[in-house]
Amino acid sequence: MTPGKAARLAAPSVAFKQSFIEAVREFQADDYPWNAGSMGRYREVDVDVLERDFASFLAGLEDAAGRSVKPGLVPQTSYWLVEDTAFIGRVSVRHRLNENLMRVGGHIGYEIRPSRRRQGYGTLALRLGLEKAKALGIRRALVTCDATNGPSRSIILANGGKMEDEIEMGEGKPAKQRFWIDLS
Ligand SMILES: CC(C)(COP(=O)(O)OP(=O)(O)OC[C@H]1O[C@@H](n2cnc3c(N)ncnc32)[C@H](O)[C@@H]1OP(=O)(O)O)[C@@H](O)C(=O)NCCC(=O)NCCS
């Protein structure tokens, strides 16, 4: 299966509220075997609070200008991968790297809701995220994944990733693989 032509990156918005809340329930019930840490941001979300006050949740996300809610972090833009009014996943684009992102996080993060996985959306999410990075003037994007996260590595390689190295993350944690993608 391949993503529909209508799949696109959009600014987080109330238009996707019901679908996003369903996706949060999926994330909370999901047990992705290769990268448990990445779903932290949805595990903590209280669905009842989202139902009552979605506007405050949206206000807490980074906007198109990269305004970061947490001081000290680099500017980052949150996008949602959507299809019509369905929320499919999220893509975060960091406008530049700091020491930690250079080592671990990279320029782009992505996550696809469990019910839409294995249909090509992850590969599309990174491709669209790279377009946003290029538009920001980034000529070489750093993308990373856990050495144990085969699906994410496939996505990076399918988008032209060239492996730089593998960084040990310490006892009990998977090593981080770093890839560069040329956008020039
Ligand atoms: C990793 C993730 C983004 C993949 O999304 P996806 O929409 O399933 O990705 P795609 O459909 O584009 O598949 C990419 C490749 O991974 C493979 N794949 C995806 N899920 C798989 C699974 N559960 N088992 C085996 N292979 C899998 C696909 O078959 C495809 O392989 P191919 O390139 O050889 O055809 C998704 O599983 C996810 O959100 N995981 C949790 C968050 C995460 O790990 N994010 C990445 C952080 S670096």
Side-chain angles (χ1 to χ4, degrees):
M1 237 207 272
T2 51
K5 284 196 171 51
R8 63 191 172 95
L9 291 188
S13 131
V14 71
F16 312 108
K17 176 178 173 179
Q18 283 318 318
S19 180
F20 180 80
I21 289 174
E22 285 161 21
V24 168
R25 291 190 209 279
E26 285 176 19
F27 281 118
Q28 291 182 346
D30 181 48
D31 193 12
Y32 186 70
W34 296 287
N35 194 349
S38 72
M39 286 178 302
R41 85 165 50 196
Y42 296 117
R43 284 222 192 277
E44 305 302 314
V45 174
D46 182 333
V47 171
D48 293 337
V49 173
L50 280 186
E51 290 277 10
R52 274 200 310 276
D53 187 7
F54 201 64
S56 295
F57 174 74
L58 290 176
L61 297 175
E62 304 85 358
D63 64 14
R67 177 190 55 92
S68 174
V69 279
K70 293 188 194 131
L73 297 185
V74 304
Q76 164 172 295
T77 304
S78 295
Y79 295 100
W80 284 355
L81 180 66
V82 300
E83 210 169 59
D84 304 319
T85 54
F87 170 91
I88 311 280
R90 70 164 182 95
V91 178
S92 303
V93 181
R94 290 125 205 167
H95 298 205
R96 53 185 160 78
L97 299 175
N98 61 17
E99 206 177 312
N100 183 49
L101 292 171
M102 178 61 94
R103 208 170 152 265
V104 181
H107 279 107
I108 301 176
Y110 42 89
E111 188 164 18
I112 300 299
R113 68 187 285 179
S115 63
R116 297 289 191 130
R117 290 182 187 159
R118 305 205 73 171
Q119 299 167 45
Y121 285 106
T123 305
L124 176 68
L126 179 56
R127 179 162 71 71
L128 297 176
L130 289 166
E131 285 175 9
K132 298 289 185 190
K134 186 171 180 174
L136 284 170
I138 295 166
R139 298 167 64 107
R140 220 163 61 113
L142 182 71
V143 188
T144 69
C145 69
D146 286 354
T148 48
N149 194 341
S152 188
R153 184 173 42 255
S154 296
I155 288 171
I156 297 169
L157 294 175
N159 277 285
K162 300 273 180 286
M163 188 151 158
E164 171 77 14
D165 58 11
E166 187 169 294
I167 297 182
E168 291 305 324
M169 299 303 292
E171 185 89 20
K173 294 186 183 158
K176 211 45 104 172
Q177 295 183 334
R178 303 192 318 140
F179 300 81
W180 289 105
I181 300 177
D182 186 7
L183 301 178
S184 60

